[in-house]
Amino acid sequence: QAQNIVLSVNGIEVIYNHVILVLKGVSLQLPEKGIVALLGGNGAGKTTTLRAISNLLKGERGEVTKGSIELRGEQIQNLSPADLVKRGVVQVMEGRHCFAHLTIEENLMTGSYTRSDKGEIAANLEKVYNYFPRLKTRRTSQAAYTSGGEQQMCAIGRAIMSNPNIVLLDEPSMGLAPQIVEEVFNIVKDLNAKEGTTFLLAEQNTNMALKYADYGYIMESGRIVMDGPAADLASNEDVKEFYLGVG
Ligand code: ATP
């Protein structure tokens, strides 16, 4: 195999509330330094897949009942979300989740909770401002008074504050104007190219996601129904008919 797989999801099943089977055997792989898109409509199971990886299912009364998840060959299902952050895996949740009453800079600083070296934290903050110049401009603004795009950038920037290797991004395009979506995705591409950060990008915006990803998986009703290089998916007739132009 030419590419080094950093994260591997192997046939996982997820059940909510002990009875609702939502993921019915999902497998996917993240190559080192890849941008992988996880596509599909509302309720297909994208968020659940990300939550399974970052071990955020418990709070939702969900559990992985079959299969395994491996980070560089190590099983990670029993690690806490904080342990995963320490191992370089961080999730940016859908809906931005900035702390509304904190400033942009305070929000970013909350992303460094697993670190203690002040110099390192300051360097990380500068790095985030480098990638997101808009956040630097808005550093003292209360998050509640910034735009949707700035809040999305803030959520991603906060994740970057932990120096991750793998970022799980849940619908970063949601509710944003196309230009802003492009701005956000360009920054993702930039982080990928310069920092070597691996991204798993859950998106309903198939069109846009396939422009930036190198590989894609399409989900439907808790299963992966198709996968392939992004360019192949973007030119596939079935994908065009069912998914492009959606979102
Ligand atoms: P969206 O884009 O709307 O987030 P998605 O592809 O991310 O969609 P999921 O959020 O993973 O899909 O939802 C998959 C299925 O699981 C849906 O049928 C949803 O209703 C169900 N589901 C999600 N969260 C829970 C929960 N906490 N308890 C019970 N069912 C849930």
Side-chain angles (χ1 to χ4, degrees), residues 16-17 20 22-23 40-49 51 60-61 94 170-171 204:
Y16 282 116
N17 296 316
I20 312 163
V22 166
L23 296 192
N42 231 328
K46 305 179 298 296
T47 299
T48 301
T49 303
R51 281 183 189 147
E60 303 290 329
R61 310 180 112 266
E94 186 179 341
D170 200 357
E171 300 221 20
Q204 288 194 47

Side-chain angles (χ1 to χ4, degrees), residues 153-174:
M153 289 177 195
C154 178
I156 300 172
R158 187 174 59 183
I160 299 303
M161 285 296 289
S162 69
N163 253 345
N165 303 120
I166 299 175
V167 179
L168 314 171
L169 270 185
D170 200 357
E171 300 221 20
S173 78
M174 200 174 56

Side-chain angles (χ1 to χ4, degrees), residues 2-186:
Q3 274 168 319
N4 205 0
I5 300 302
V6 285
L7 187 97
S8 175
V9 174
N10 312 306
I12 58 166
E13 275 188 10
V14 169
I15 295 183
Y16 282 116
N17 296 316
H18 304 293
V19 288
I20 312 163
L21 178 65
V22 166
L23 296 192
K24 303 160 186 165
V26 169
S27 298
L28 59 85
Q29 263 138 28
L30 293 190
E32 178 120 60
K33 301 181 183 177
I35 301 182
V36 173
L38 184 58
L39 306 165
N42 231 328
K46 305 179 298 296
T47 299
T48 301
T49 303
L50 298 196
R51 281 183 189 147
I53 296 170
S54 52
N55 215 340
L56 290 170
L57 280 169
K58 262 196 202 101
E60 303 290 329
R61 310 180 112 266
E63 60 178 325
V64 177
T65 50
K66 249 194 204 162
S68 67
I69 303 171
E70 287 172 22
L71 177 66
R72 297 186 177 85
E74 180 197 9
Q75 302 255 359
I76 56 169
Q77 285 107 297
N78 296 319
L79 298 182
S80 69
D83 282 336
L84 284 166
V85 173
K86 283 185 195 146
R87 280 174 172 72
V89 181
V90 58
Q91 177 165 351
V92 179
M93 281 187 268
E94 186 179 341
R96 301 192 271 275
H97 293 278
C98 275
F99 299 109
H101 60 287
L102 298 183
T103 66
I104 292 291
E105 187 152 302
E106 286 164 348
N107 266 286
L108 293 176
M109 292 304 285
T110 65
S112 61
Y113 71 98
T114 56
R115 325 189 74 86
S116 53
D117 185 312
K118 285 219 172 78
E120 220 171 88
I121 293 171
N124 272 348
L125 186 63
E126 264 330 291
K127 184 169 88 181
V128 168
Y129 284 148
N130 248 329
Y131 284 99
F132 299 92
R134 259 176 193 259
L135 294 183
K136 189 163 191 172
T137 319
R138 305 288 265 141
R139 64 200 293 175
T140 58
S141 303
Q142 218 178 304
Y145 299 110
T146 62
S147 70
E150 286 159 353
Q151 287 180 40
Q152 181 62 71
M153 289 177 195
C154 178
I156 300 172
R158 187 174 59 183
I160 299 303
M161 285 296 289
S162 69
N163 253 345
N165 303 120
I166 299 175
V167 179
L168 314 171
L169 270 185
D170 200 357
E171 300 221 20
S173 78
M174 200 174 56
L176 302 181
Q179 253 157 287
I180 307 295
V181 174
E182 273 190 33
E183 198 179 325
V184 170
F185 279 14
N186 278 324

